[in-house]
Amino acid sequence: INMATIKSRVARHALGIFWSTKRAKRLAKKISQDTEGTRYPEMWVNKYVNKKVKKLLKITKVELEVKGIDNLPKTTCILAPNHSSSMDPALMIRALANRDKEDNKPNKMVVFLGKEEIKKNKKVVGFADMLKTIYINRANPRQSLKALDDIAAHAKEHRKHIVIFPEGTRSVDGKIQEFKPGAFKIAQRAFLPIVPVTINNALSITDFANRTGTIKVQVIFHKEIKPMKFVSQKTTDIAANIQKIVKKSWKKPEGKRAEAENKV
């Protein structure tokens, strides 16, 4: 399948994607009003979003390989992946889904810590709100600490994993950027284990000018780091350690876009 075919597939489904985002915004509003969670239970929301993500990956011809899923603790933890694509949240959602057709276990649920700028992104804000994303204002330290406490409380109550992208923003060339220490304050404050996550080749998904055929993306869940090992450490040291683990399994993105960016 060449790029023209992929673009044609996306174009054919464009209206459906548009209405999915519109419906997501409406659903997000209804879900926020369902304070008891009786009409829209958390598990139903997760299943709905997973279904949409599965369809999106199929349309964009993404083949997802997941490794180390058994490394995830059964309790709430912090998932700390590298970040190079707007598709990364979708990849994380799908990586945590139960894809064993003979196994009826539910999907692992997640909640994201995101920048306030996401609220302005009409394409994703509906789904972000459906998943109860907690938004953080990095220019407001007091609000930031409250956001950390809020997401920890929500995740523990609903047995979710917390996804935080420690780089703070997407990497332009796919290379792993510096992990910010602030992302790990929540692990210390809420005494939660950290699971480093490596996402490989996500940058190639949106390289529409050069990509051909199916893009193979890999999500690797590394062994958990328990709170007792880092609770007394500086967050800068925690960040450096997590980055080192993630980087060890990182592979250079495929495609001409990554090559061009790396030459600059």
Side-chain angles (χ1 to χ4, degrees):
I1 298 177
N2 57 31
M3 197 58 237
T5 303
I6 295 173
K7 285 184 177 180
S8 177
R9 287 167 63 94
V10 173
R12 288 202 307 271
H13 291 279
L15 186 60
I17 293 172
F18 171 77
W19 284 115
S20 289
T21 57
K22 294 283 283 187
R23 188 186 180 201
K25 289 181 70 175
R26 293 196 298 268
L27 267 176
K29 185 176 181 180
K30 292 179 180 179
I31 291 168
S32 67
Q33 295 170 344
D34 181 26
T35 54
E36 298 298 322
T38 53
R39 187 176 181 186
Y40 300 102
E42 294 281 353
M43 197 63 71
W44 179 90
V45 175
N46 179 275
K47 190 174 181 180
Y48 174 86
V49 174
N50 240 293
K51 183 179 178 181
K52 296 300 179 183
V53 168
K54 182 179 180 181
K55 186 175 182 179
L56 177 62
L57 297 186
K58 183 178 181 180
I59 292 170
T60 53
K61 298 297 290 180
V62 174
E63 182 180 314
L64 183 62
E65 178 188 15
V66 180
K67 290 187 174 182
I69 193 71
D70 292 336
N71 286 329
L72 291 177
K74 293 181 180 179
T75 56
T76 296
C77 69
I78 307 292
L79 301 179
N82 55 303
H83 193 19
S84 64
S85 167
S86 58
M87 291 283 282
D88 290 343
L91 293 171
M92 289 299 296
I93 291 169
R94 193 62 193 149
L96 291 164
N98 176 25
R99 291 181 300 284
D100 187 347
K101 294 181 180 179
E102 297 180 1
D103 184 355
N104 292 321
K105 290 182 180 178
N107 301 324
K108 292 178 172 60
M109 297 194 297
V110 297
V111 59
F112 291 89
L113 184 70
K115 299 181 294 184
E116 279 202 335
E117 290 85 341
I118 293 174
K119 294 180 180 179
K120 300 177 183 179
N121 189 332
K122 295 180 180 180
K123 294 180 181 178
V124 301
V125 68
F127 291 105
D129 287 346
M130 284 178 67
L131 292 171
K132 306 292 177 66
T133 296
I134 303 294
Y135 301 103
I136 189 168
N137 182 353
R138 291 177 293 184
N140 187 333
R142 182 175 293 181
Q143 188 276 339
S144 296
L145 287 176
K146 184 179 183 304
L148 297 183
D149 292 338
D150 287 347
I151 198 170
H154 174 80
K156 287 181 176 180
E157 180 183 354
H158 298 282
R159 299 179 66 83
K160 294 182 179 182
H161 295 313
I162 302 170
V163 178
I164 300 176
F165 294 102
E167 291 162 287
T169 187
R170 295 195 300 271
S171 169
V172 177
D173 57 10
K175 290 181 179 179
I176 295 178
Q177 304 175 97
E178 179 185 359
F179 277 25
K180 305 293 190 300
F184 301 102
K185 286 181 180 178
I186 181 176
Q188 289 184 321
R189 290 174 68 86
F191 205 70
L192 294 173
I194 302 170
V195 176
V197 184
T198 303
I199 302 177
N200 282 320
N201 205 36
L203 183 68
S204 300
I205 300 173
T206 53
D207 188 8
F208 293 115
N210 301 298
R211 62 166 284 194
T212 58
T214 300
I215 295 296
K216 295 184 179 180
V217 177
Q218 189 180 56
V219 175
I220 304 170
F221 295 100
H222 300 280
K223 292 183 179 180
E224 71 169 303
I225 302 173
K226 296 184 178 180
M228 285 300 295
K229 290 187 176 182
F230 61 78
V231 69
S232 61
Q233 291 183 1
K234 293 180 180 179
T235 50
T236 50
D237 293 336
I238 300 171
N241 184 42
I242 300 300
Q243 182 188 25
K244 184 179 179 180
I245 296 170
V246 172
K247 196 171 184 178
K248 191 173 181 180
S249 298
W250 178 82
K251 297 176 182 177
K252 181 181 177 182
E254 301 170 2
K256 295 181 180 179
R257 176 182 170 187
E259 293 177 5
E261 295 289 355
N262 285 317
K263 288 179 180 178
V264 177

